[in-house]
Amino acid sequence: MELTNAILATGALGTAAFGVVEALKFTPLGNAGFGVAMRQLGSLVEALHVAYGDEYRDLLRGQYRAEDRELLARTLRQGVRVGTTDANAGSITRFLGSIDQTKLAAAIHAAETGADLSSEQRNVIGRFELAADARIDAALTLARARYVDSARVAASVVALTLALIVGANMPDVTMVQAFIVGLAAVPLAPIAKDVASGIQAAAKALRK
């Protein structure tokens, strides 16, 4: 098997493997990282429960599977803003660690009752929202990293399996070659075309 063809085959196999993994989002693989996000949100889930009801996890899980990160982040931020009350402000401020519980509870109570907010109360709510947004962003980042790692592992298994099946049915390809191609398929897939083009250019230059 020529090196250029091997690289192109590796890239094509890796792309196909990722396509198969993408189609498996309806399986538990699509939830990879979701539990991490929920744990990282800590007491903020109390606000989400208030905002979206008992089925809030199903709502968030559905958006997580769709991989629309902006929509999920917006849903989380709005849920925390709407669902934080003077009743759960204590546990939420202890979780965030940078907001005064009494001041936040007073500001939220004033907002809930329609009272005019003082500049200090508006500042407290603003700091609370910034702190909550930072936790949400961190949770989604960690969850995304966990999902990508899980997807890569799954894609590697798929690529290796496909490579061995194809290798077993191609007389001019040994099983060792098929194993190497399958093993390299996932990490090499994004750059396979560039690598192959570079090798072709180098080969032409050496022939001159």
Side-chain angles (χ1 to χ4, degrees):
M1 183 184 294
E2 294 182 1
L3 181 58
T4 302
N5 292 335
I7 292 174
L8 289 174
T10 301
L13 181 59
T15 302
F18 271 116
V20 172
V21 170
E22 188 73 11
L24 294 176
K25 282 185 178 179
F26 66 92
T27 69
L29 178 62
N31 290 327
F34 180 76
V36 173
M38 290 296 99
R39 288 193 295 274
Q40 290 297 317
L41 289 174
S43 297
L44 294 179
V45 299
E46 296 179 20
L48 297 174
H49 191 181
V50 172
Y52 299 123
D54 293 339
E55 307 300 323
Y56 75 96
R57 282 183 176 268
D58 293 335
L59 168 67
L60 299 176
R61 187 179 291 108
Q63 293 185 354
Y64 184 81
R65 281 177 179 270
E67 279 200 284
D68 189 339
R69 181 169 177 172
E70 291 185 5
L71 175 61
L72 178 57
R74 186 163 61 249
T75 300
L76 290 171
R77 289 179 180 130
Q78 291 174 345
V80 168
R81 284 159 172 69
V82 171
T84 299
T85 66
D86 54 354
N88 59 29
S91 60
I92 290 176
T93 52
R94 285 192 294 274
F95 170 69
L96 295 177
S98 58
I99 309 296
D100 184 273
Q101 173 183 341
T102 303
K103 291 181 179 179
L104 179 62
I108 291 175
H109 180 73
E112 288 177 341
T113 57
D116 291 332
L117 298 179
S118 66
S119 59
E120 181 182 7
Q121 288 175 328
R122 286 193 293 270
N123 288 335
V124 168
I125 290 177
R127 291 198 301 274
F128 158 70
E129 291 177 350
L130 285 175
D133 288 352
R135 292 299 182 104
I136 289 170
D137 289 340
L140 292 180
T141 298
L142 289 173
R144 175 62 182 172
R146 179 66 59 85
Y147 173 78
V148 170
D149 289 343
S150 299
R152 285 187 179 277
V153 171
S156 297
V157 173
V158 171
L160 190 57
T161 302
L162 292 176
L164 292 175
I165 291 174
V166 172
N169 291 278
M170 294 182 66
D172 58 335
V173 177
T174 68
M175 295 303 290
V176 173
Q177 290 174 324
F179 180 82
I180 293 174
V181 168
L183 200 62
V186 174
L188 190 58
I191 61 170
K193 188 174 293 184
D194 293 335
V195 173
S197 297
I199 292 175
Q200 290 174 337
K204 288 179 181 179
L206 290 174
R207 292 194 193 103
K208 295 180 179 179

